[in-house]
Amino acid sequence: MKHPSHIAWAGLAAMTISFGLNFSMGVFFAPTTASYGVSATALAVAAALGTTVTGFAQPFVGRLLDRAGARAVLIGGLALISGSYLALAVVRETWQYVTAYMLLGGLGFAASSTLTVTTLIGRTLGNQVGPALTRAAVGINLGQLIGPWAATALFEPVGVRATYALLGAAGLAVAGVLWLILPADRSTNLSAGQPESLAGRGRVLVSFGLHSATLYVVILMLPKHAVEAGWSVVAAGRLVALAALAAGLTSIAMVRLQRRYAVENLLRALYVVRIIALALAVSNTAPATLIAVAVLFGAASFPIVPLTMAVVSRGLDPARMGRTLSPAWVIHQLAAAAGLAIASTLHALTDSYRGYFALGLLFSAAAALLIRRNEPVHHAPLHRLPEPPLDNGDHHDTRNPSHCGHSGPAGLLPTGR
């Protein structure tokens, strides 16, 4: 399976399962509290710990990708995150729930998310990676749309435990199919060397952390916030699916907008929309307001991730991309874990998430201010475009022809920049 469309569809399926199971956990919180007797605080702690595990695992995943290959890492990660749902279907004690969520879910998501899929597609398709990765990334929002919708549709007829089991089994089935059809990595690199420095990208990395500190809280806790405002569990859970749909549409639009506008300008515009969404979340809990929050926050938040990676990845050596970018994902996950912990504390003190939504508004404003045009970065010679020929084109650079015209690692640098 080396045709770009085939590998892209495989990547889309993997990301649909990985992100779908990861972000569907938010719709389980309220019914799990009622059915399992697990406190809201324990659920928030489990989410924070699972996110922390994902963050600390990123450097190890980066090295494992070079040694074992992306295909093996991806399938292993999908098996772990799917297995976490199967385990959550049978746990009886709070500590069992927290452990399954934290270890199986946290490690599984670390090994089956964006970094791994990017590496798999890049090694299989080489310079054709851009369109394939763009198509595969739609699986992020597709998973966030399908997962919560399926969960909320199953709660009533089969119950919470059976819903965990069915979604976990579906994930394992997809992992099995992908194991059969995915190609082995073209090559692995046992001596990729040390990662490159991310010096000069500090402001963007801080903004990335501030973004994730609010992203996970809103997506995971918005359904519970709605239930506390009087919504049914099913209706509240569908807010996540609504956010995912809005995010998918915005992501499609961003592909075209990057041809006309600088990525930094798009990022600042998204942060402004995000601020508006969080201001609405702080204002009241009316149904129309929460729907608007889900739409605006989803539309403005998820596209920030690939756009930020486009800025951070400029000029990096693709041979060391996984190891070099892993610190960015450590920041992303640990900031998300810290956000969940703080949100849980504020909720315990005030019985509401509105206080943290106000804090997230400030985080988003700070992140917008940190985004600068012409962020100073190191540009590796590998990514310099060849100089235009001075004559009729008879002079060619024969020293490293394979990189001529390369648009950037993993298709993250838009060709229309």
Side-chain angles (χ1 to χ4, degrees):
M1 180 199 284
K2 291 189 178 182
H3 192 278
S5 63
H6 296 165
I7 194 68
W9 283 114
L12 184 147
M15 296 185 95
T16 298
I17 295 299
S18 179
F19 282 85
L21 294 181
N22 186 57
F23 280 100
S24 290
M25 286 303 303
V27 306
F28 278 90
F29 285 172
T32 295
T33 299
S35 298
Y36 285 41
V38 178
S39 69
T41 300
L43 292 171
V45 168
L49 290 176
T51 305
T52 302
V53 168
T54 298
F56 279 124
Q58 292 299 317
F60 301 99
V61 170
R63 288 194 288 271
L64 196 60
L65 286 169
D66 291 335
R67 294 182 175 274
R71 175 175 175 260
V73 174
L74 177 63
I75 300 304
L78 290 175
L80 284 173
I81 196 170
S82 300
S84 72
Y85 269 64
L86 296 177
L88 293 174
V90 298
V91 297
R92 297 293 173 183
E93 304 289 338
T94 296
W95 71 267
Q96 294 172 340
Y97 187 98
V98 172
T99 301
Y101 189 158
M102 175 181 67
L103 292 181
L104 296 178
L107 291 174
F109 186 61
S112 62
S113 52
T114 309
L115 181 59
T116 300
V117 172
T118 299
T119 302
L120 175 72
I121 294 176
R123 285 180 178 165
T124 304
L125 301 179
N127 289 340
Q128 302 177 58
V129 67
L133 183 60
T134 300
R135 189 176 302 158
V138 176
I140 296 174
N141 302 126
L142 191 60
Q144 293 159 352
L145 181 64
I146 293 175
W149 204 278
T152 54
L154 290 170
F155 283 150
E156 224 173 272
V158 303
V160 178
R161 290 187 182 275
T163 301
Y164 274 126
L166 288 172
L167 293 184
L172 280 181
V174 173
V177 172
L178 291 177
W179 175 257
L180 294 175
I181 66 175
L182 279 174
D185 292 48
R186 178 179 294 174
S187 63
T188 54
N189 188 352
L190 299 180
S191 57
Q194 295 298 314
E196 291 185 82
S197 170
L198 290 176
R201 298 165 170 84
R203 291 195 300 268
V204 175
L205 291 175
V206 172
S207 73
F208 197 41
L210 293 173
H211 162 265
S212 61
T214 312
L215 173 65
Y216 281 69
V217 172
V218 175
I219 295 303
L220 290 175
M221 301 305 175
L222 186 60
K224 190 171 183 302
H225 180 63
V227 169
E228 291 173 354
W231 288 43
S232 70
V233 169
V234 172
R238 287 176 178 167
L239 285 174
V240 178
L242 191 59
L245 178 60
L249 295 174
T250 308
S251 295
I252 293 171
M254 285 295 147
V255 174
R256 293 183 175 274
L257 289 174
Q258 287 179 74
R259 299 171 185 171
R260 299 183 58 188
Y261 302 100
V263 173
E264 291 85 352
N265 291 339
L266 294 174
L267 280 169
R268 282 193 290 269
L270 289 173
Y271 277 119
V272 170
V273 176
R274 206 170 189 260
I275 289 168
I276 294 171
L278 290 166
L280 290 173
V282 172
S283 65
N284 63 73
T285 56
T289 300
L290 292 184
I291 291 172
V293 169
V295 171
L296 293 175
F297 189 85
S301 291
F302 288 104
I304 286 175
V305 176
L307 291 179
T308 301
M309 286 296 99
V311 175
V312 175
S313 65
R314 285 174 185 161
L316 295 181
D317 181 357
R320 294 180 283 173
M321 183 67 63
R323 297 183 184 190
T324 301
L325 288 181
S326 63
W329 292 101
V330 172
I331 291 170
H332 178 82
Q333 293 299 134
L334 295 186
L340 288 165
I342 296 170
S344 175
T345 301
L346 289 177
H347 184 272
L349 294 174
T350 65
D351 251 355
S352 174
Y353 289 107
R354 290 166 73 175
Y356 192 83
F357 294 158
L359 191 58
L361 188 157
L362 297 178
F363 287 166
S364 297
L369 293 174
L370 286 167
I371 300 297
R372 295 284 189 275
R373 191 73 179 99
N374 298 323
E375 178 81 3
V377 298
H378 166 69
H379 292 276
L382 183 64
H383 291 281
R384 291 175 183 159
L385 293 177
E387 294 293 332
L390 298 178
D391 53 15
N392 61 2
D394 290 336
H395 295 277
H396 299 284
D397 183 2
T398 58
R399 292 169 297 175
N400 196 8
S402 63
H403 294 289
C404 291
H406 194 283
S407 62
L412 289 173
L413 302 186
T415 56
R417 191 184 312 283

